[in-house]
Each structure stands twice: as C-alpha cells, then as structure tokens.
Amino acid sequence: MDRLSLNQITTKTWSVPEAVKGCAEAGVGWIGLWRDKVAETGVAETARLVAEHGLRVSSLCRGGFFTGVNPDGSPVDGIAQTREAIDEAAQLGTDVLVLVVGGIAENDLVLSRQRVADAVGELAPYARERGVRLGLEPLHPIQCAERSVLSTLDQALAIAEEHPADSVGVIVDEFHVWWDPRIEETIAKAAGRILGFHVCDQMWPLTDPLMGRALPGDGPIDHRHLRACVEAAGYTGPIEVEVFNTELWQRPGGEVLAEVIAAYRDHVA
Amino acid sequence: MDRLSLNQITTKTWSVPEAVKGCAEAGVGWIGLWRDKVAETGVAETARLVAEHGLRVSSLCRGGFFTGVNPDGSPVDGIAQTREAIDEAAQLGTDVLVLVVGGIAENDLVLSRQRVADAVGELAPYARERGVRLGLEPLHPIQCAERSVLSTLDQALAIAEEHPADSVGVIVDEFHVWWDPRIEETIAKAAGRILGFHVCDQMWPLTDPLMGRALPGDGPIDHRHLRACVEAAGYTGPIEVEVFNTELWQRPGGEVLAEVIAAYRDHVA
C-alpha cells in the first residue's frame, strides 16, 4: 500500500487542501497533482500543505499540447505553458511532469507528430536543469485527433530515447495501452525510462471514449500482469490511480478515496 | 471510379435488391454484402440479382467471433457460423470473407487472442478448398473488449503469415488503423496479403467509439496517403466505402450513395 498514489482527477470535487488532508487521513502517502487545482490554491501553499501532511508528489499533470491546438481547436502555446509547468513541478517537489502532447494540427498527422518530437527536444534541457523529467504519456488511439498524436508506448519511447534517460521518459497508463499486442515487449524495452504507472479500468461496454474509465477491477484490464511488467522493467515507484468517470466525479471525495484504496488492494497490489 | 465499392452497411435502409439496383443505376460496379441483409433476400436470389445487374461482390461481411462471445456477452459458435459464411461467400461469387474476430472471453485477453489464432488455423483449409480467402480485419483498439481482440494490422498480419497467402490475408480499414504510427511499414510488410481496403473518416470531435464515423473528407484521415500505401504494397482491387453513422443510416439510400460517390471522387480517387 505504500506505493499507492491518488491522482487528483479521481476525486474531482476535492480542492488541493481537501485532497491532501484526505490522503493523509486515509494513510495514502502519495498524491498526483493537476495544475488547474494547484492554481486555485497557489503553488507555494500547495507545496506547504503537502509537506505539512507528510505527503510526496508522484507527478504533476500536465504539460504538452505541443502541436499548438487545444482539444476544442483553439490555439495554445504548449511550449511556453510547459516551461511554466516544469517550474511548478520543481517547486512542488516532484521530478515528474506528465505530458499530453496534443492532437492533430492543420489536418496533418505527420507534421503534428514532428512538432511533438521538436518540442521535447527544445524543452528537455530546460527540464533537466531544474531536476524535472518529462514523462511522455501515449494516449489511447481513440484520442489521437483531439488530444494526443502520441498513440503507442513504442512511439513515445522512440522520442524519449533521443534524450538522456534522466531527462525524458514515458508514463505507462493502463487505459491507454492495455490493448496493445506489443505492450509486454515495449514495457521491457522501456527499462530505465518508466517515470510513472497509472492504473484504472475500461468500462465494459464502453460508450464514451474519454470518460469511459472505471476503478481497477471493473473492466477487462489485467492490472497485476501489467504491474509485473513495469516492475520487471525496474519501475518500483508510486502507482497512481487515475480515473476519468463522471459518476465518480459527482460523489464526495472521501467516499471515492475509500473505493480507490479497496480497488487498489484487491486488484493491483 | 471503377474501383469504388459500396459497402452495404453505409446504405443501411436499403435491402439487397435496392442496393444492387442503386449501384447499377449510379454506375458503381462493386458491392460489399452483409450476411444479415443477404439472409433477408436469400443467398441464391442475391447472387442472381448481382449477376443480373452486372455487379461484382468485393467481399462478404462477416465471419469471426472466434472467442465465443458476442458483443452483448451472449455465447456464439463463431467457427460454425464462419463455415456457413465461407459457403455463402463462394455462392455469392466473392473470394473475400471479412472476419471480425470477437472480444474478450472469460476476462482473459491472452486466452482470447490464442482462440483467434487457433480458429483461423482450423478454418483456413476449409476456406481454401472453396476458393475463399479469410480477411482478418483488425478493429480499432477501442473495440478490443467487445468486438475484436485483433487490434493492429501488425498483429493480424502475424496470424495471416502462418498460412498460405492465397488462404489468409488482412483487411485494411482506415477507421481502425489510421492512427497507428507503424501503419506505413506494416502495410508494406503486408504486400501480397491485402484482401481489401475500406475507407471512411473519423468524426472529429469524436463522441461514439462505434458509430463515430463519417464520409471520407469529413475527418482527420489522409485517404490518398493510405491508398498510396496499399497500392505500393500491390493492392489494386476494389475500395469499399464503409460508414457506420446513425445520421446517414436514417436517410434514403440513393441520397447517401450520391454522397459516397462524391466523397470518393474528391478525397480517395
């Protein structure tokens, strides 16, 4: 249980002070923070609260959107925003910044993927100087057009390997990669580059491509198998439970966290 | 235009007689048939109508469900049903049977994938004796749990390659594979094994993982690029326009077919 981390999106009704207090009271030692929630409380105050409650920050979500477009199609300077996110990660005492790289720009998949590789090249030295590693998270192929032209772990790893291992790595999120027939061999290839392991399940039947996630145990994903894979590749760090689920997001944080702990114990640990 | 084939699902309101007549009147020389529609008209009568109107059948949809479960979770004998489908394909004068292999059985992805490989091994000789080739169609990873544990073209090709090239091949359907960072190299590897090329687009933004398809040109897919890839791999056969789209499915077949022809001309041919 000492590896369990609450990814803050899972308890969406909770502010940072509530989430930090909730984790401390429940004996959860790690938390994965989101920038929008941190902004509400303030970076310095968040760092203070985390320290006061004896928590550690497993990662900060998120930088990215390097292709220059938000999911709604509006323009965004992802490189500038990610520089700010790197600074924030350092202030919050985590060395992992999760990257969601952005969807298709100018209706051109090849161009968009090149922009991602270029942006990582530009930002890697900046992050390294601040002791922060960039965690490239491939998203499920269903999110390729709108959110992430990075669609497989293999593809993320190819970009990471152009940089030092203490500078750029990958995030293994079960929802995004469980279906991949090459996932075992790719996780093995990623040894030394795995910066995070995120667990959740896929709803079954699945109706919503973005929100169709569930607590571990409520879907087809074999969590202990994937955990064994990342451990065999040397990853023994925190395991974030990260669930996008509109029903869960309407319920009190404490209730949700109790279910997170039970699901983690029964299906992951 | 002589390569355009109407996949019958696109004009769902049309029966076989209506679809065959509609194609002939519109100058479309190929049709992709579905078993449920063929059953309404009868196999022999369908074959007669197709011949009478001078059409050719590009493929029959579909065999498969080898893992033993339907999308709704009910049991199914996919091997027996696929034997029937092979016989039907031969009677209809097409040498391509499209396979949708089925989702996860017994909550076990590894077991389910093995069942698919085993079933193809069992059925390949039966199909070959009847002059029918089995077309393994990988479906989008979002459909892995419910419909197809075959999730990438590379994975489909690995199964096909265990059998003679005139016996088992693959279907390249744009919706299912366009996001794959390895798609170009995998299509090249599939030379001599490509039994069909299905085109459509992905809705953008995407809300429905099954029905979120559109006519070519209405989404992020680069149709001419993918067409060039399959042609470079030696595939010069019919190109089916296959669109799952509830809005399209409520409109008169003739209207839809006119739009299919225009979309094909403007974005694929």
Side-chain angles (χ1 to χ4, degrees):
Chain A
M1 292 302 289
D2 59 346
R3 292 177 65 192
L4 170 60
S5 178
L6 174 68
N7 183 295
Q8 198 179 3
I9 201 85
T10 309
T11 51
K12 207 181 181 189
T13 55
W14 266 353
S15 65
V16 163
E18 289 168 326
V20 168
K21 187 162 172 281
C23 283
E25 284 175 3
V28 173
W30 292 93
I31 188 164
L33 296 169
W34 277 68
R35 289 193 74 199
D36 56 340
K37 292 283 189 186
V38 170
E40 287 168 17
T41 298
V43 180
E45 174 63 5
T46 298
R48 196 193 65 72
L49 283 167
V50 165
E52 182 183 283
H53 288 82
L55 296 187
R56 286 179 288 177
V57 180
S58 48
S59 74
L60 179 64
C61 276
R62 62 194 189 193
F65 290 94
F66 300 137
T67 58
V69 280
N70 283 312
D72 65 5
S74 61
V76 58
D77 184 347
I79 293 180
Q81 288 194 359
T82 302
R83 273 207 198 87
E84 292 172 15
I86 291 165
D87 293 341
E88 247 177 65
Q91 285 176 271
L92 292 166
T94 179
D95 64 346
V96 178
L97 176 67
V98 176
L99 300 180
V100 170
V101 301
I104 298 177
E106 298 177 33
N107 219 19
D108 188 333
L109 181 59
V110 175
L111 166 89
S112 304
R113 284 178 166 160
Q114 189 55 50
R115 281 188 186 171
V116 172
D118 292 348
V120 172
E122 188 174 339
L123 289 165
Y126 184 90
R128 197 181 192 195
E129 284 165 18
R130 283 150 189 83
V132 174
R133 293 176 295 169
L134 301 176
L136 289 164
E137 180 169 339
L139 298 202
H140 196 290
I142 204 70
Q143 298 174 10
C144 181
E146 286 123 320
R147 272 182 183 73
S148 175
V149 292
L150 210 52
S151 304
T152 64
L153 189 64
D154 189 60
Q155 184 194 7
L157 192 59
I159 296 176
E161 284 174 342
E162 292 170 14
H163 306 279
D166 64 355
S167 173
V168 184
V170 296
I171 304 287
V172 178
D173 181 306
E174 292 185 323
F175 177 82
H176 299 305
V177 304
W178 71 274
W179 55 270
D180 186 345
R182 290 173 175 264
I183 193 61
E184 288 86 355
E185 64 184 274
T186 311
I187 288 175
K189 255 174 59 186
R193 296 268 180 187
I194 300 173
L195 306 187
F197 178 45
H198 296 184
V199 299
C200 74
D201 229 312
Q202 180 183 299
M203 279 191 192
W204 189 7
L206 181 72
T207 51
D208 186 314
L210 183 61
M211 302 301 298
R213 308 191 207 179
L215 286 169
D218 290 346
I221 300 177
D222 188 342
H223 308 282
R224 290 200 166 97
H225 170 63
L226 290 173
R227 183 169 67 83
C229 290
V230 298
E231 285 173 4
Y235 183 75
T236 54
I239 297 173
E240 295 189 13
V241 177
E242 183 186 32
V243 185
F244 287 66
N245 179 304
T246 43
E247 188 269 329
L248 220 55
W249 286 359
Q250 283 160 13
R251 289 167 48 204
E255 218 178 279
V256 173
L257 182 55
E259 290 184 21
V260 163
I261 293 168
Y264 177 84
R265 187 191 56 221
D266 294 346
H267 300 284
V268 183
Chain B
M1 293 302 290
D2 59 346
R3 294 178 64 193
L4 170 60
S5 178
L6 174 68
N7 183 293
Q8 198 179 3
I9 200 85
T10 309
T11 51
K12 208 182 180 188
T13 55
W14 266 352
S15 64
V16 163
E18 290 169 324
V20 168
K21 186 162 174 280
C23 283
E25 285 176 1
V28 174
W30 293 92
I31 188 163
L33 296 170
W34 277 68
R35 288 194 75 201
D36 56 340
K37 292 283 189 186
V38 169
E40 287 168 17
T41 299
V43 180
E45 174 64 6
T46 298
R48 196 192 65 73
L49 283 166
V50 165
E52 182 184 284
H53 287 82
L55 295 188
R56 286 179 289 177
V57 181
S58 48
S59 74
L60 178 65
C61 276
R62 60 196 187 186
F65 289 95
F66 299 136
T67 59
V69 281
N70 284 312
D72 65 4
S74 62
V76 59
D77 184 348
I79 293 180
Q81 288 193 359
T82 302
R83 272 206 199 88
E84 293 171 16
I86 291 166
D87 294 340
E88 247 177 65
Q91 286 175 269
L92 293 165
T94 178
D95 64 345
V96 178
L97 176 67
V98 176
L99 299 181
V100 171
V101 300
I104 299 177
E106 298 177 33
N107 220 18
D108 188 332
L109 181 59
V110 175
L111 166 89
S112 304
R113 285 178 166 161
Q114 189 55 51
R115 282 189 185 171
V116 172
D118 292 348
V120 172
E122 188 175 337
L123 290 165
Y126 184 90
R128 199 183 193 194
E129 284 164 19
R130 283 149 189 83
V132 174
R133 294 176 295 170
L134 301 176
L136 288 164
E137 180 168 341
L139 298 202
H140 197 290
I142 204 70
Q143 298 174 9
C144 181
E146 286 123 321
R147 271 182 183 74
S148 175
V149 292
L150 210 51
S151 304
T152 64
L153 189 64
D154 189 59
Q155 183 195 6
L157 192 58
I159 295 176
E161 284 174 343
E162 292 170 15
H163 306 281
D166 64 355
S167 173
V168 184
V170 296
I171 305 287
V172 179
D173 180 306
E174 292 185 323
F175 177 82
H176 299 305
V177 304
W178 70 274
W179 55 269
D180 186 345
R182 290 173 176 264
I183 194 59
E184 287 88 354
E185 63 184 275
T186 310
I187 288 175
K189 255 173 59 187
R193 296 268 180 188
I194 300 173
L195 306 186
F197 179 46
H198 296 184
V199 300
C200 76
D201 229 311
Q202 179 183 300
M203 280 193 192
W204 190 8
L206 181 72
T207 50
D208 186 314
L210 183 62
M211 302 301 299
R213 308 189 206 180
L215 287 169
D218 290 344
I221 300 176
D222 187 342
H223 309 282
R224 291 200 166 97
H225 171 63
L226 289 174
R227 183 169 67 84
C229 290
V230 298
E231 286 174 5
Y235 183 76
T236 54
I239 298 172
E240 295 189 13
V241 177
E242 183 186 33
V243 186
F244 288 66
N245 179 305
T246 43
E247 187 269 328
L248 220 54
W249 285 359
Q250 285 160 14
R251 288 167 47 203
E255 217 179 280
V256 173
L257 182 56
E259 289 183 21
V260 163
I261 293 168
Y264 178 84
R265 186 191 57 219
D266 294 347
H267 299 285
V268 183

